[in-house]
């Protein structure tokens, strides 16, 4: 099932997307998408609604340096344990919403990632049970103010600006092989990242176990699993697109904030 959050003629709702291309329809979900969703009976053509960020998490937990070649491209060692940092919920935007470059931030980079969406309140989940607490997977862009990341040491400011966590276009609940998906990033149609989640150092079940040993995860919380090599700067007027196999493409324009 593809779960989305949409703006439709009557307001905002969660929805399931059925079909593809010009025949795609969105079916409104009552209340929330967790558990067995209840449908209201309302539906619209996908072309008649606007896709929003598919979830509004209480927190976004990101994993740094989780691809060896990405760590190497910045001259960093691979951490023995997952390196965690947080992005605020206010950094989340949806498809086609603008990434706003903060004044004075210097170089701002895109980072294409696979994101894990949690489906229930959990704490201390063993890796063997991790799949059972996952609602699904979506595409993420861990936008990063690189100069500030280097100068601050701590990453809260560099990773936490408003609009610095695009998510979408929807949540795919059925991914048979989330640990072996092609991941590509393009800027203005030029391929920049061409990786695979098979190269994750810390795999998804281990990440869920590790993160949940540190903090309680709530329904809708998002774990960003890391980015392959090939990240680079984005500038005013450009467009960045992240594609994850089996999910879809997340596209956002870039504007000066």
């Amino acid at each position: 099932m593809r779960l989305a959050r949409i703006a439709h003629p009557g307001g905002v709702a969660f929805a399931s997307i059925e079909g593809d291309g010009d025949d795609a329809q969105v079916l409104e979900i009552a209340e929330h998408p967790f558990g067995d969703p209840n449908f209201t009976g309302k539906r619209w053509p996908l072309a008649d609604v606007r896709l929003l960020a598919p979830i509004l998490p209480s927190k976004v937990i990101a994993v740094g340096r989780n691809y060896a070649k990405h760590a190497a491209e910045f001259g960093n060692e691979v951490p023995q344990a997952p390196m965690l940092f947080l992005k605020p919920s206010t950094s989340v935007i949806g498809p086609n919403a603008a990434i706003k470059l903060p004044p004075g931030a210097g170089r701002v980079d895109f980072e294409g990632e696979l994101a894990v969406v949690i489906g229930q309140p959990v704490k201390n989940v063993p890796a063997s049970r991790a799949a059972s607490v996952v609602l699904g997977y979506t595409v993420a862009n861990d936008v990063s103010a690189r100069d500030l990341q280097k100068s601050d040491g701590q990453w809260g400011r560099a990773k936490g600006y408003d609009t610095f966590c695009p998510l979408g276009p929807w949540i795919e609940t059925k991914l048979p092989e989330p640990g072996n998906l092609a991941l590509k990033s393009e800027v203005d149609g030029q391929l920049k990242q061409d990786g695979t989640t098979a190269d994750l150092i810390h795999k998804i079940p281990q990440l869920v176990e590790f993160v949940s040993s540190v903090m309680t995860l709530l329904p809708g919380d998002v774990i960003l699993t890391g980015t392959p090599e090939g990240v680079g700067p984005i500038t005013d007027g450009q467009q960045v697109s992240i594609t994850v196999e089996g999910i879809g493409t997340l596209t956002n324009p870039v504007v000066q904030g």
Side-chain angles (χ1 to χ4, degrees):
M1 181 182 292
R2 287 172 292 170
L3 297 172
R5 192 168 143 269
I6 61 168
H8 60 74
V12 173
F14 288 103
S16 172
I17 299 176
E18 294 187 353
D20 296 295
D22 294 339
D23 297 327
Q25 297 276 313
V26 293
L27 286 64
E28 186 181 51
I29 294 173
E31 297 180 352
H32 60 74
F34 305 106
D36 294 324
N38 296 315
F39 294 92
T40 66
K42 296 179 181 179
R43 65 169 60 213
W44 302 270
L46 179 58
D48 291 350
V49 303
R50 179 165 58 92
L51 291 173
L52 306 173
I55 202 72
L56 294 177
S58 75
K59 53 187 172 293
V60 178
I61 308 99
V63 183
R65 303 173 189 169
N66 202 25
Y67 287 79
K69 290 183 180 179
H70 171 61
E73 71 182 342
F74 284 96
N76 295 313
E77 298 293 328
V78 173
Q80 290 189 349
M83 175 186 291
L84 304 184
F85 59 93
L86 296 175
K87 294 175 79 82
S89 58
T90 47
S91 67
V92 173
I93 57 173
N96 302 310
I99 298 167
K100 296 181 180 180
L101 306 175
R107 171 175 161 171
V108 174
D109 283 9
F110 66 90
E111 294 189 10
E113 309 204 6
L114 173 68
V116 179
V117 184
I118 299 299
Q120 57 186 270
V122 292
K123 184 74 167 73
N124 294 320
V125 181
S128 61
R129 201 168 63 82
S132 69
V133 305
V134 172
L135 175 66
Y137 305 85
T138 191
V139 185
N141 187 349
D142 176 21
V143 183
S144 307
R146 201 64 76 194
D147 294 358
L148 300 181
Q149 184 180 5
K150 183 177 180 180
S151 65
D152 289 0
Q154 299 293 326
W155 296 359
R157 180 167 63 139
K159 302 277 193 173
Y161 280 101
D162 291 354
T163 78
F164 269 29
C165 189
L167 297 175
W170 41 67
I171 298 166
E172 177 56 64
T173 63
K174 301 295 184 184
L175 271 183
E177 297 288 344
N180 188 21
L181 301 173
L183 191 161
K184 300 179 185 294
S185 299
E186 296 181 342
V187 177
D188 289 344
Q190 294 188 348
L191 183 64
K192 300 295 186 178
Q193 289 182 291
D194 188 3
T196 169
T197 60
D199 292 335
L200 285 168
I201 297 167
H202 304 289
K203 307 300 184 182
I204 292 168
Q206 287 70 38
L207 291 178
V208 173
E209 178 179 72
F210 185 83
V211 175
S212 70
S213 74
V214 176
M215 64 192 78
T216 297
L217 295 172
L218 300 178
D221 281 352
V222 172
I223 300 174
L224 306 188
T225 59
T227 193
E229 76 275 16
V231 302
I234 47 178
T235 58
D236 182 27
Q238 291 188 313
Q239 179 173 276
V240 56
S241 296
I242 316 294
T243 301
V244 175
E245 180 185 3
I247 303 176
T249 299
L250 170 66
T251 297
N252 297 91
V254 182
V255 301
Q256 187 63 50

